[in-house]
Short mmCIF file of all heavy atoms in Angstrom, two decimals:
data_model
loop_
_atom_site.label_atom_id
_atom_site.label_comp_id
_atom_site.label_asym_id
_atom_site.label_seq_id
_atom_site.Cartn_x
_atom_site.Cartn_y
_atom_site.Cartn_z
N MET A 1 0.85 -1.19 0.00
CA MET A 1 0.00 0.00 0.00
C MET A 1 0.88 1.24 0.00
O MET A 1 1.80 1.36 0.79
CB MET A 1 -0.90 -0.02 1.24
CG MET A 1 -2.05 0.95 1.15
SD MET A 1 -3.23 0.63 2.47
CE MET A 1 -2.85 1.99 3.54
N ASN A 2 0.62 2.13 -0.88
CA ASN A 2 1.38 3.36 -0.97
C ASN A 2 0.57 4.51 -0.37
O ASN A 2 -0.42 4.96 -0.92
CB ASN A 2 1.70 3.62 -2.44
CG ASN A 2 2.57 4.85 -2.61
OD1 ASN A 2 2.84 5.58 -1.64
ND2 ASN A 2 3.01 5.09 -3.81
N LEU A 3 1.03 4.98 0.77
CA LEU A 3 0.29 6.02 1.48
C LEU A 3 0.32 7.36 0.79
O LEU A 3 -0.49 8.23 1.05
CB LEU A 3 0.84 6.18 2.90
CG LEU A 3 0.65 4.98 3.83
CD1 LEU A 3 1.37 5.22 5.14
CD2 LEU A 3 -0.82 4.74 4.08
N PHE A 4 1.28 7.53 -0.10
CA PHE A 4 1.42 8.83 -0.75
C PHE A 4 0.61 8.94 -2.03
O PHE A 4 0.46 10.00 -2.59
CB PHE A 4 2.90 9.12 -1.01
CG PHE A 4 3.68 9.19 0.25
CD1 PHE A 4 4.47 8.12 0.66
CD2 PHE A 4 3.61 10.31 1.08
CE1 PHE A 4 5.18 8.17 1.85
CE2 PHE A 4 4.31 10.36 2.27
CZ PHE A 4 5.10 9.29 2.66
N LYS A 5 0.13 7.82 -2.44
CA LYS A 5 -0.67 7.83 -3.65
C LYS A 5 -2.03 8.47 -3.34
O LYS A 5 -2.62 8.19 -2.32
CB LYS A 5 -0.86 6.38 -4.11
CG LYS A 5 -1.48 6.25 -5.47
CD LYS A 5 -1.65 4.76 -5.80
CE LYS A 5 -2.56 4.60 -6.98
NZ LYS A 5 -3.05 3.24 -7.10
N LYS A 6 -2.47 9.28 -4.24
CA LYS A 6 -3.80 9.89 -4.05
C LYS A 6 -4.82 8.76 -4.07
O LYS A 6 -4.80 7.94 -4.98
CB LYS A 6 -4.07 10.89 -5.17
CG LYS A 6 -5.22 11.82 -4.86
CD LYS A 6 -5.25 12.90 -5.93
CE LYS A 6 -6.52 13.70 -6.00
NZ LYS A 6 -7.36 13.85 -4.87
N LYS A 7 -5.67 8.75 -3.06
CA LYS A 7 -6.57 7.62 -2.95
C LYS A 7 -7.59 7.57 -4.10
O LYS A 7 -8.13 8.59 -4.50
CB LYS A 7 -7.26 7.59 -1.59
CG LYS A 7 -8.32 8.64 -1.37
CD LYS A 7 -9.05 8.31 -0.08
CE LYS A 7 -10.36 9.08 0.00
NZ LYS A 7 -10.25 10.48 0.32
N GLU A 8 -7.77 6.40 -4.57
CA GLU A 8 -8.75 6.21 -5.62
C GLU A 8 -10.11 6.04 -4.98
O GLU A 8 -10.23 5.38 -3.95
CB GLU A 8 -8.41 4.95 -6.44
CG GLU A 8 -7.31 5.19 -7.43
CD GLU A 8 -6.81 3.89 -8.04
OE1 GLU A 8 -7.63 2.98 -8.21
OE2 GLU A 8 -5.61 3.79 -8.31
N GLU A 9 -11.09 6.64 -5.58
CA GLU A 9 -12.41 6.54 -5.00
C GLU A 9 -13.13 5.33 -5.58
O GLU A 9 -13.31 5.21 -6.78
CB GLU A 9 -13.20 7.81 -5.26
CG GLU A 9 -12.57 9.00 -4.55
CD GLU A 9 -13.46 10.21 -4.59
OE1 GLU A 9 -14.31 10.28 -5.48
OE2 GLU A 9 -13.27 11.08 -3.72
N VAL A 10 -13.49 4.46 -4.68
CA VAL A 10 -14.23 3.28 -5.09
C VAL A 10 -15.66 3.47 -4.62
O VAL A 10 -15.91 3.78 -3.46
CB VAL A 10 -13.64 2.00 -4.44
CG1 VAL A 10 -14.40 0.77 -4.90
CG2 VAL A 10 -12.18 1.88 -4.79
N LEU A 11 -16.57 3.33 -5.53
CA LEU A 11 -17.96 3.52 -5.16
C LEU A 11 -18.62 2.20 -4.79
O LEU A 11 -18.51 1.22 -5.51
CB LEU A 11 -18.74 4.16 -6.30
CG LEU A 11 -18.43 5.63 -6.57
CD1 LEU A 11 -19.30 6.13 -7.70
CD2 LEU A 11 -18.65 6.48 -5.35
N ASP A 12 -19.27 2.24 -3.66
CA ASP A 12 -20.04 1.11 -3.18
C ASP A 12 -21.50 1.42 -3.48
O ASP A 12 -22.06 2.32 -2.88
CB ASP A 12 -19.86 1.02 -1.66
CG ASP A 12 -19.26 -0.29 -1.23
OD1 ASP A 12 -19.13 -1.19 -2.08
OD2 ASP A 12 -18.93 -0.41 -0.05
N PRO A 13 -22.10 0.74 -4.42
CA PRO A 13 -23.48 1.11 -4.75
C PRO A 13 -24.51 0.59 -3.75
O PRO A 13 -24.41 -0.54 -3.26
CB PRO A 13 -23.68 0.46 -6.12
CG PRO A 13 -22.71 -0.64 -6.20
CD PRO A 13 -21.58 -0.34 -5.25
N TYR A 14 -25.46 1.46 -3.44
CA TYR A 14 -26.55 1.11 -2.53
C TYR A 14 -27.88 1.34 -3.22
O TYR A 14 -27.99 2.16 -4.12
CB TYR A 14 -26.50 1.96 -1.26
CG TYR A 14 -25.42 1.52 -0.31
CD1 TYR A 14 -24.12 2.00 -0.44
CD2 TYR A 14 -25.70 0.59 0.68
CE1 TYR A 14 -23.11 1.57 0.42
CE2 TYR A 14 -24.71 0.16 1.54
CZ TYR A 14 -23.42 0.65 1.41
OH TYR A 14 -22.44 0.22 2.25
N THR A 15 -28.87 0.63 -2.78
CA THR A 15 -30.22 0.76 -3.32
C THR A 15 -31.15 1.16 -2.19
O THR A 15 -31.11 0.56 -1.11
CB THR A 15 -30.67 -0.60 -3.91
OG1 THR A 15 -29.78 -0.95 -4.96
CG2 THR A 15 -32.08 -0.52 -4.46
N VAL A 16 -31.97 2.19 -2.43
CA VAL A 16 -32.95 2.60 -1.44
C VAL A 16 -34.33 2.18 -1.95
O VAL A 16 -34.72 2.52 -3.06
CB VAL A 16 -32.94 4.14 -1.21
CG1 VAL A 16 -33.98 4.53 -0.17
CG2 VAL A 16 -31.56 4.59 -0.77
N GLU A 17 -35.04 1.43 -1.14
CA GLU A 17 -36.38 0.98 -1.50
C GLU A 17 -37.38 1.70 -0.60
O GLU A 17 -37.09 1.97 0.56
CB GLU A 17 -36.54 -0.52 -1.25
CG GLU A 17 -35.61 -1.38 -2.04
CD GLU A 17 -35.70 -2.83 -1.58
OE1 GLU A 17 -35.87 -3.08 -0.37
OE2 GLU A 17 -35.59 -3.71 -2.42
N GLN A 18 -38.55 1.98 -1.15
CA GLN A 18 -39.59 2.62 -0.34
C GLN A 18 -40.90 1.91 -0.56
O GLN A 18 -41.27 1.56 -1.69
CB GLN A 18 -39.70 4.10 -0.72
CG GLN A 18 -40.67 4.84 0.21
CD GLN A 18 -40.60 6.34 0.02
OE1 GLN A 18 -40.24 6.83 -1.04
NE2 GLN A 18 -40.93 7.07 1.07
N CYS A 19 -41.63 1.71 0.52
CA CYS A 19 -42.92 1.06 0.46
C CYS A 19 -43.96 2.02 -0.11
O CYS A 19 -44.00 3.19 0.26
CB CYS A 19 -43.33 0.62 1.86
SG CYS A 19 -45.00 -0.05 1.92
N ASN A 20 -44.81 1.52 -0.99
CA ASN A 20 -45.82 2.39 -1.60
C ASN A 20 -47.05 2.58 -0.72
O ASN A 20 -47.97 3.30 -1.08
CB ASN A 20 -46.20 1.88 -3.00
CG ASN A 20 -46.88 0.52 -2.97
OD1 ASN A 20 -46.98 -0.12 -1.92
ND2 ASN A 20 -47.33 0.05 -4.12
N VAL A 21 -47.09 1.92 0.41
CA VAL A 21 -48.22 2.08 1.32
C VAL A 21 -47.81 2.87 2.58
O VAL A 21 -48.37 3.91 2.88
CB VAL A 21 -48.83 0.71 1.71
CG1 VAL A 21 -49.89 0.87 2.79
CG2 VAL A 21 -49.44 0.06 0.47
N CYS A 22 -46.83 2.38 3.29
CA CYS A 22 -46.47 3.04 4.55
C CYS A 22 -45.24 3.95 4.42
O CYS A 22 -44.86 4.60 5.38
CB CYS A 22 -46.23 2.00 5.65
SG CYS A 22 -44.77 0.98 5.40
N SER A 23 -44.66 3.98 3.23
CA SER A 23 -43.51 4.85 2.95
C SER A 23 -42.25 4.51 3.73
O SER A 23 -41.34 5.32 3.81
CB SER A 23 -43.84 6.33 3.19
OG SER A 23 -44.86 6.71 2.29
N LYS A 24 -42.22 3.34 4.28
CA LYS A 24 -41.00 2.93 4.97
C LYS A 24 -39.88 2.78 3.96
O LYS A 24 -40.06 2.23 2.88
CB LYS A 24 -41.22 1.61 5.71
CG LYS A 24 -40.01 1.22 6.53
CD LYS A 24 -40.16 -0.16 7.15
CE LYS A 24 -38.85 -0.68 7.72
NZ LYS A 24 -38.30 0.18 8.77
N LYS A 25 -38.71 3.29 4.35
CA LYS A 25 -37.56 3.19 3.46
C LYS A 25 -36.57 2.20 4.01
O LYS A 25 -36.41 2.07 5.22
CB LYS A 25 -36.86 4.56 3.35
CG LYS A 25 -37.56 5.51 2.43
CD LYS A 25 -36.67 6.70 2.11
CE LYS A 25 -37.36 7.59 1.08
NZ LYS A 25 -36.49 8.69 0.65
N SER A 26 -35.92 1.51 3.12
CA SER A 26 -34.83 0.67 3.57
C SER A 26 -33.70 0.74 2.56
O SER A 26 -33.91 0.88 1.36
CB SER A 26 -35.29 -0.77 3.80
OG SER A 26 -35.38 -1.46 2.59
N THR A 27 -32.51 0.71 3.07
CA THR A 27 -31.31 0.79 2.25
C THR A 27 -30.58 -0.53 2.32
O THR A 27 -30.44 -1.11 3.37
CB THR A 27 -30.41 1.92 2.76
OG1 THR A 27 -31.15 3.12 2.78
CG2 THR A 27 -29.20 2.11 1.86
N ARG A 28 -30.17 -0.99 1.18
CA ARG A 28 -29.40 -2.24 1.15
C ARG A 28 -28.37 -2.11 0.05
O ARG A 28 -28.39 -1.18 -0.74
CB ARG A 28 -30.33 -3.42 0.90
CG ARG A 28 -31.10 -3.32 -0.42
CD ARG A 28 -31.78 -4.61 -0.76
NE ARG A 28 -32.66 -4.49 -1.90
CZ ARG A 28 -32.26 -4.46 -3.17
NH1 ARG A 28 -30.98 -4.51 -3.46
NH2 ARG A 28 -33.14 -4.36 -4.14
N LYS A 29 -27.51 -3.09 0.02
CA LYS A 29 -26.50 -3.09 -1.03
C LYS A 29 -27.16 -3.29 -2.39
O LYS A 29 -28.12 -4.05 -2.51
CB LYS A 29 -25.50 -4.22 -0.78
CG LYS A 29 -24.59 -3.94 0.38
CD LYS A 29 -23.15 -4.05 -0.04
CE LYS A 29 -22.26 -3.40 1.02
NZ LYS A 29 -20.86 -3.51 0.70
N PHE A 30 -26.63 -2.62 -3.36
CA PHE A 30 -27.12 -2.76 -4.72
C PHE A 30 -26.94 -4.20 -5.19
O PHE A 30 -25.92 -4.82 -4.92
CB PHE A 30 -26.33 -1.82 -5.63
CG PHE A 30 -26.65 -1.95 -7.09
CD1 PHE A 30 -27.75 -1.29 -7.63
CD2 PHE A 30 -25.85 -2.71 -7.92
CE1 PHE A 30 -28.04 -1.40 -8.98
CE2 PHE A 30 -26.13 -2.84 -9.27
CZ PHE A 30 -27.24 -2.19 -9.80
N GLN A 31 -27.95 -4.69 -5.86
CA GLN A 31 -27.85 -6.02 -6.44
C GLN A 31 -27.98 -5.91 -7.94
O GLN A 31 -28.68 -5.04 -8.46
CB GLN A 31 -28.96 -6.92 -5.90
CG GLN A 31 -28.72 -7.36 -4.48
CD GLN A 31 -29.89 -8.14 -3.92
OE1 GLN A 31 -31.01 -8.08 -4.44
NE2 GLN A 31 -29.64 -8.86 -2.85
N GLU A 32 -27.32 -6.81 -8.62
CA GLU A 32 -27.38 -6.87 -10.07
C GLU A 32 -28.85 -6.88 -10.52
O GLU A 32 -29.66 -7.63 -9.99
CB GLU A 32 -26.69 -8.19 -10.49
CG GLU A 32 -26.37 -8.28 -11.94
CD GLU A 32 -25.11 -7.50 -12.32
OE1 GLU A 32 -24.34 -7.09 -11.45
OE2 GLU A 32 -24.94 -7.31 -13.53
N GLY A 33 -29.17 -6.02 -11.47
CA GLY A 33 -30.54 -6.01 -11.98
C GLY A 33 -31.45 -4.97 -11.34
O GLY A 33 -32.59 -4.80 -11.75
N ASP A 34 -30.93 -4.26 -10.33
CA ASP A 34 -31.73 -3.21 -9.69
C ASP A 34 -31.85 -2.01 -10.62
O ASP A 34 -30.89 -1.64 -11.29
CB ASP A 34 -31.05 -2.74 -8.40
CG ASP A 34 -31.27 -3.69 -7.25
OD1 ASP A 34 -32.02 -4.66 -7.41
OD2 ASP A 34 -30.69 -3.45 -6.17
N TYR A 35 -33.01 -1.40 -10.62
CA TYR A 35 -33.20 -0.14 -11.34
C TYR A 35 -34.32 0.64 -10.67
O TYR A 35 -35.16 0.06 -9.98
CB TYR A 35 -33.49 -0.38 -12.83
CG TYR A 35 -34.70 -1.25 -13.10
CD1 TYR A 35 -35.98 -0.68 -13.20
CD2 TYR A 35 -34.58 -2.63 -13.23
CE1 TYR A 35 -37.09 -1.49 -13.43
CE2 TYR A 35 -35.67 -3.44 -13.45
CZ TYR A 35 -36.93 -2.86 -13.55
OH TYR A 35 -38.03 -3.65 -13.77
N ILE A 36 -34.32 1.95 -10.90
CA ILE A 36 -35.31 2.83 -10.29
C ILE A 36 -36.72 2.41 -10.70
O ILE A 36 -36.96 2.10 -11.87
CB ILE A 36 -35.07 4.30 -10.72
CG1 ILE A 36 -33.63 4.72 -10.46
CG2 ILE A 36 -36.05 5.25 -10.04
CD1 ILE A 36 -33.29 5.15 -9.07
N PHE A 37 -37.63 2.42 -9.74
CA PHE A 37 -39.04 2.06 -9.90
C PHE A 37 -39.29 0.56 -10.04
O PHE A 37 -40.42 0.13 -10.27
CB PHE A 37 -39.73 2.79 -11.07
CG PHE A 37 -39.69 4.28 -10.95
CD1 PHE A 37 -39.31 5.08 -12.00
CD2 PHE A 37 -40.05 4.90 -9.74
CE1 PHE A 37 -39.27 6.47 -11.89
CE2 PHE A 37 -40.01 6.28 -9.62
CZ PHE A 37 -39.63 7.07 -10.69
N LYS A 38 -38.25 -0.23 -9.90
CA LYS A 38 -38.44 -1.67 -9.93
C LYS A 38 -39.17 -2.09 -8.65
O LYS A 38 -38.85 -1.63 -7.56
CB LYS A 38 -37.09 -2.38 -10.00
CG LYS A 38 -37.20 -3.88 -10.06
CD LYS A 38 -35.83 -4.52 -10.00
CE LYS A 38 -35.94 -6.03 -10.02
NZ LYS A 38 -34.62 -6.66 -9.81
N VAL A 39 -40.17 -2.93 -8.81
CA VAL A 39 -40.90 -3.45 -7.66
C VAL A 39 -40.14 -4.67 -7.15
O VAL A 39 -39.85 -5.59 -7.90
CB VAL A 39 -42.34 -3.84 -8.06
CG1 VAL A 39 -43.06 -4.48 -6.89
CG2 VAL A 39 -43.10 -2.61 -8.54
N THR A 40 -39.82 -4.63 -5.88
CA THR A 40 -39.05 -5.75 -5.34
C THR A 40 -39.93 -6.61 -4.42
O THR A 40 -40.87 -7.22 -4.89
CB THR A 40 -37.77 -5.25 -4.64
OG1 THR A 40 -38.11 -4.36 -3.60
CG2 THR A 40 -36.85 -4.54 -5.63
N ASP A 41 -39.61 -6.60 -3.14
CA ASP A 41 -40.34 -7.48 -2.22
C ASP A 41 -41.58 -6.84 -1.62
O ASP A 41 -41.80 -5.65 -1.75
CB ASP A 41 -39.42 -7.88 -1.07
CG ASP A 41 -38.20 -8.62 -1.56
OD1 ASP A 41 -38.35 -9.45 -2.47
OD2 ASP A 41 -37.11 -8.34 -1.03
N LYS A 42 -42.35 -7.64 -0.94
CA LYS A 42 -43.43 -7.11 -0.12
C LYS A 42 -42.80 -6.36 1.03
O LYS A 42 -41.73 -6.71 1.51
CB LYS A 42 -44.27 -8.27 0.45
CG LYS A 42 -45.47 -8.60 -0.41
CD LYS A 42 -46.58 -9.19 0.42
CE LYS A 42 -47.89 -8.78 -0.20
NZ LYS A 42 -49.05 -9.28 0.47
N CYS A 43 -43.50 -5.33 1.47
CA CYS A 43 -42.98 -4.54 2.58
C CYS A 43 -42.94 -5.38 3.86
O CYS A 43 -43.96 -5.93 4.26
CB CYS A 43 -43.85 -3.31 2.79
SG CYS A 43 -43.38 -2.35 4.22
N PRO A 44 -41.78 -5.46 4.49
CA PRO A 44 -41.68 -6.24 5.73
C PRO A 44 -42.30 -5.52 6.92
O PRO A 44 -42.56 -6.11 7.95
CB PRO A 44 -40.17 -6.41 5.92
CG PRO A 44 -39.56 -5.26 5.21
CD PRO A 44 -40.50 -4.88 4.08
N SER A 45 -42.56 -4.23 6.75
CA SER A 45 -43.08 -3.44 7.86
C SER A 45 -44.60 -3.52 7.97
O SER A 45 -45.14 -3.86 9.01
CB SER A 45 -42.63 -2.00 7.69
OG SER A 45 -43.10 -1.20 8.75
N CYS A 46 -45.32 -3.21 6.88
CA CYS A 46 -46.79 -3.21 6.95
C CYS A 46 -47.40 -4.48 6.36
O CYS A 46 -48.55 -4.80 6.61
CB CYS A 46 -47.35 -1.96 6.27
SG CYS A 46 -47.10 -1.92 4.49
N GLY A 47 -46.64 -5.17 5.54
CA GLY A 47 -47.13 -6.43 4.98
C GLY A 47 -48.10 -6.26 3.82
O GLY A 47 -48.49 -7.24 3.20
N ASN A 48 -48.51 -5.04 3.53
CA ASN A 48 -49.46 -4.80 2.45
C ASN A 48 -48.81 -4.20 1.21
O ASN A 48 -49.23 -4.46 0.09
CB ASN A 48 -50.56 -3.83 2.91
CG ASN A 48 -51.43 -4.43 3.96
OD1 ASN A 48 -51.83 -5.58 3.85
ND2 ASN A 48 -51.72 -3.68 5.00
N GLY A 49 -47.87 -3.33 1.45
CA GLY A 49 -47.26 -2.60 0.35
C GLY A 49 -46.20 -3.38 -0.38
O GLY A 49 -45.82 -4.48 0.00
N GLN A 50 -45.78 -2.77 -1.45
CA GLN A 50 -44.67 -3.32 -2.22
C GLN A 50 -43.50 -2.36 -2.07
O GLN A 50 -43.68 -1.15 -2.09
CB GLN A 50 -45.03 -3.39 -3.71
CG GLN A 50 -46.05 -4.44 -4.07
CD GLN A 50 -45.52 -5.85 -3.96
OE1 GLN A 50 -46.26 -6.75 -3.65
NE2 GLN A 50 -44.24 -6.05 -4.18
N MET A 51 -42.33 -2.94 -1.97
CA MET A 51 -41.14 -2.11 -1.92
C MET A 51 -40.76 -1.76 -3.36
O MET A 51 -40.69 -2.64 -4.22
CB MET A 51 -39.99 -2.85 -1.24
CG MET A 51 -40.27 -3.26 0.20
SD MET A 51 -40.66 -1.90 1.30
CE MET A 51 -39.02 -1.20 1.57
N ILE A 52 -40.57 -0.49 -3.60
CA ILE A 52 -40.21 -0.01 -4.93
C ILE A 52 -38.88 0.72 -4.81
O ILE A 52 -38.68 1.50 -3.88
CB ILE A 52 -41.30 0.92 -5.49
CG1 ILE A 52 -42.59 0.12 -5.68
CG2 ILE A 52 -40.86 1.55 -6.81
CD1 ILE A 52 -43.81 0.96 -5.98
N ILE A 53 -38.00 0.47 -5.75
CA ILE A 53 -36.70 1.12 -5.68
C ILE A 53 -36.84 2.60 -5.97
O ILE A 53 -37.38 3.02 -6.99
CB ILE A 53 -35.70 0.44 -6.64
CG1 ILE A 53 -35.45 -1.00 -6.15
CG2 ILE A 53 -34.39 1.23 -6.68
CD1 ILE A 53 -34.53 -1.81 -7.04
N ASP A 54 -36.41 3.38 -5.00
CA ASP A 54 -36.57 4.83 -5.03
C ASP A 54 -35.32 5.51 -5.59
O ASP A 54 -35.39 6.45 -6.35
CB ASP A 54 -36.85 5.29 -3.60
CG ASP A 54 -37.05 6.78 -3.49
OD1 ASP A 54 -37.86 7.30 -4.26
OD2 ASP A 54 -36.40 7.41 -2.64
N LYS A 55 -34.18 5.02 -5.15
CA LYS A 55 -32.95 5.57 -5.72
C LYS A 55 -31.79 4.62 -5.54
O LYS A 55 -31.82 3.71 -4.71
CB LYS A 55 -32.65 6.96 -5.17
CG LYS A 55 -32.10 7.03 -3.81
CD LYS A 55 -31.85 8.49 -3.44
CE LYS A 55 -31.46 8.57 -1.96
NZ LYS A 55 -31.28 9.91 -1.47
N ILE A 56 -30.82 4.86 -6.35
CA ILE A 56 -29.60 4.07 -6.29
C ILE A 56 -28.45 5.07 -6.21
O ILE A 56 -28.42 6.04 -6.96
CB ILE A 56 -29.47 3.18 -7.55
CG1 ILE A 56 -30.56 2.11 -7.55
CG2 ILE A 56 -28.08 2.53 -7.62
CD1 ILE A 56 -30.72 1.38 -8.87
N PHE A 57 -27.61 4.86 -5.23
CA PHE A 57 -26.51 5.81 -5.11
C PHE A 57 -25.22 5.10 -4.78
O PHE A 57 -25.22 3.95 -4.33
CB PHE A 57 -26.85 6.86 -4.04
CG PHE A 57 -26.95 6.29 -2.64
CD1 PHE A 57 -25.88 6.34 -1.78
CD2 PHE A 57 -28.13 5.71 -2.21
CE1 PHE A 57 -25.96 5.82 -0.49
CE2 PHE A 57 -28.23 5.18 -0.93
CZ PHE A 57 -27.15 5.24 -0.07
N GLY A 58 -24.14 5.78 -5.02
CA GLY A 58 -22.84 5.21 -4.72
C GLY A 58 -22.22 5.94 -3.54
O GLY A 58 -22.33 7.14 -3.43
N GLU A 59 -21.63 5.19 -2.66
CA GLU A 59 -20.99 5.78 -1.51
C GLU A 59 -19.50 5.50 -1.63
O GLU A 59 -19.10 4.39 -1.95
CB GLU A 59 -21.53 5.10 -0.24
CG GLU A 59 -21.48 5.99 0.97
CD GLU A 59 -22.30 5.40 2.10
OE1 GLU A 59 -21.87 4.37 2.63
OE2 GLU A 59 -23.36 5.96 2.42
N VAL A 60 -18.72 6.52 -1.36
CA VAL A 60 -17.29 6.34 -1.48
C VAL A 60 -16.78 5.48 -0.34
O VAL A 60 -17.07 5.73 0.81
CB VAL A 60 -16.56 7.70 -1.48
CG1 VAL A 60 -15.05 7.52 -1.57
CG2 VAL A 60 -17.05 8.55 -2.62
N ARG A 61 -16.09 4.45 -0.71
CA ARG A 61 -15.54 3.52 0.28
C ARG A 61 -14.36 4.17 0.94
O ARG A 61 -13.49 4.71 0.27
CB ARG A 61 -15.11 2.25 -0.45
CG ARG A 61 -15.16 1.01 0.39
CD ARG A 61 -14.78 -0.18 -0.45
NE ARG A 61 -15.90 -0.72 -1.18
CZ ARG A 61 -15.75 -1.61 -2.17
NH1 ARG A 61 -14.56 -2.00 -2.52
NH2 ARG A 61 -16.80 -2.09 -2.79
N LYS A 62 -14.33 4.15 2.26
CA LYS A 62 -13.22 4.81 2.95
C LYS A 62 -12.15 3.80 3.33
O LYS A 62 -12.47 2.68 3.61
CB LYS A 62 -13.76 5.46 4.21
CG LYS A 62 -14.84 6.46 3.89
CD LYS A 62 -14.51 7.84 4.43
CE LYS A 62 -15.44 8.88 3.83
NZ LYS A 62 -16.81 8.73 4.32
ZN1 ZN B 101 -45.19 -0.81 4.07
#
């Protein structure tokens, strides 16, 4: 490891899902095939809604 090298930014992608009924949000690691507005699982919180992908973002790994 070279401490003097300017650090390269590695992005860790995350996916934010939101329930369409109770609006509960959950963040998890991005998985292959994720895209905005994709309907994923049933909401674990209210049990009625569907989790829909709200946004996908990258976080710089420290
Ligand atoms: Zn819900």
Side-chain angles (χ1 to χ4, degrees):
M1 195 169 105
N2 183 354
L3 294 174
F4 298 102
K5 190 182 166 196
K6 196 171 164 25
K7 72 170 196 285
E8 281 169 34
E9 295 190 338
V10 182
L11 288 181
D12 240 352
Y14 284 86
T15 299
V16 180
E17 299 172 324
Q18 186 169 27
C19 174
N20 64 354
V21 173
C22 68
S23 297
K24 185 186 168 60
K25 281 193 175 185
S26 79
T27 304
R28 59 168 172 78
K29 288 235 165 178
F30 175 83
Q31 285 175 342
E32 194 79 14
D34 281 355
Y35 57 88
I36 307 278
F37 301 132
K38 181 185 178 186
V39 175
T40 59
D41 300 319
K42 266 208 148 179
C43 175
S45 181
C46 67
N48 293 316
Q50 289 289 148
M51 300 302 283
I52 296 169
I53 294 177
D54 180 50
K55 76 180 173 184
I56 293 167
F57 65 96
E59 208 167 70
V60 178
R61 208 177 275 167
K62 302 237 167 69

